[in-house]
Amino acid sequence: MAMATDISGCGIVLPADWVSLPVEPSDDVRGWSKTTAVELRDRSSAAGYDIDKASLRKDLRSRAEDSRSREPVHAFALYPDGFDFALAILEVSLIYPDDTVPEITLDWLAETFSADDFGPPEISRADLPIGPAVRIRQNFASGTRSRRRPGILMETLTYGVLPTGAESALMMLMSWTLPGLSEEMETAADSIAETLTVDI
């Protein structure tokens, strides 16, 4: 009988306007945010946009620190030319079976990673190059630090994948809060999910 093994690493391919966030505990987030802000500002300037480097640096640092708190394997933020804030975040995580969940299934992923904050989630199945997946499209209330400001609607698209030959699962989550981008973001997430690879 063939032995299933754990995933030792994973890869993903994103368009050029996605910035890789530093998620390792040893990464220098402050230094990275300064350097990356200059690079993104220069890229926007070359495209004819004038953006504020300080705002960009602050947003980069905030996004990196927020992603690090969830300990993903990879995290990225979408900064198109002309924007000093990220339009979307994409994180890739690995989930390993344990005593409480000895076998990870697509049904378990769909149940565990879906909620009905704003109506029932849209759940469907997909076949990705690395294996079968569950696709979950849903919205959440994203909390704010101020009591005076109402929560923001956070839209998400999650892929839970069971890579062929592995006991572990791979999760890809894209989230965005700017209204009116649903169709573009879903299309982007679907195409990015096709690029996922794993090392077993």
Side-chain angles (χ1 to χ4, degrees):
M1 190 172 103
M3 288 286 291
T5 53
D6 273 336
I7 300 168
S8 60
C10 59
I12 189 169
V13 180
L14 291 97
D17 47 5
W18 285 88
V19 175
S20 180
L21 302 176
V23 293
E24 294 297 322
S26 58
D27 289 335
D28 173 17
V29 175
R30 187 187 291 264
W32 168 85
S33 62
K34 286 182 180 178
T35 306
T36 307
V38 171
E39 291 171 0
L40 292 180
R41 187 198 59 186
D42 291 348
R43 192 187 76 188
S44 276
S45 293
Y49 298 99
D50 181 25
I51 58 175
D52 183 57
K53 188 175 70 173
S55 297
L56 187 54
R57 185 176 69 236
K58 186 177 176 184
D59 193 69
L60 282 160
R61 187 174 173 186
S62 161
R63 302 290 186 169
E65 288 174 347
D66 181 54
S67 279
R68 281 167 71 128
S69 70
R70 288 182 289 278
E71 301 181 344
V73 179
H74 300 296
F76 304 88
L78 176 61
Y79 287 95
D81 290 336
F83 286 86
D84 61 6
F85 61 93
L87 290 192
I89 298 294
L90 188 145
E91 295 173 350
V92 179
S93 305
L94 298 176
I95 299 172
Y96 298 102
D98 57 23
D99 292 342
T100 57
V101 186
E103 182 187 2
I104 298 174
T105 64
L106 292 180
D107 286 340
W108 180 84
L109 291 171
E111 186 180 338
T112 304
F113 291 93
S114 62
D116 52 5
D117 287 23
F118 291 93
E122 298 170 19
I123 301 174
S124 58
R125 296 289 175 94
D127 283 311
L128 297 180
I130 59 168
V134 61
R135 180 186 187 274
I136 308 165
R137 173 72 177 87
Q138 60 193 331
N139 299 331
F140 294 97
S142 176
T144 61
R145 293 197 179 112
S146 166
R147 289 184 180 178
R148 295 179 189 170
R149 292 172 57 196
I152 302 167
L153 179 69
M154 181 170 73
E155 302 185 59
T156 67
L157 179 55
T158 304
Y159 272 90
V161 194
L162 297 178
T164 304
E167 292 179 342
S168 316
L170 183 152
M171 302 299 297
M172 186 194 94
L173 167 66
M174 184 188 285
S175 61
W176 63 96
T177 56
L178 203 62
L181 296 180
S182 301
E183 198 171 314
E184 291 172 68
M185 291 302 173
E186 286 191 51
T187 300
D190 289 338
S191 61
I192 291 168
E194 294 282 338
T195 74
L196 288 165
T197 57
V198 289
D199 302 318
I200 296 177

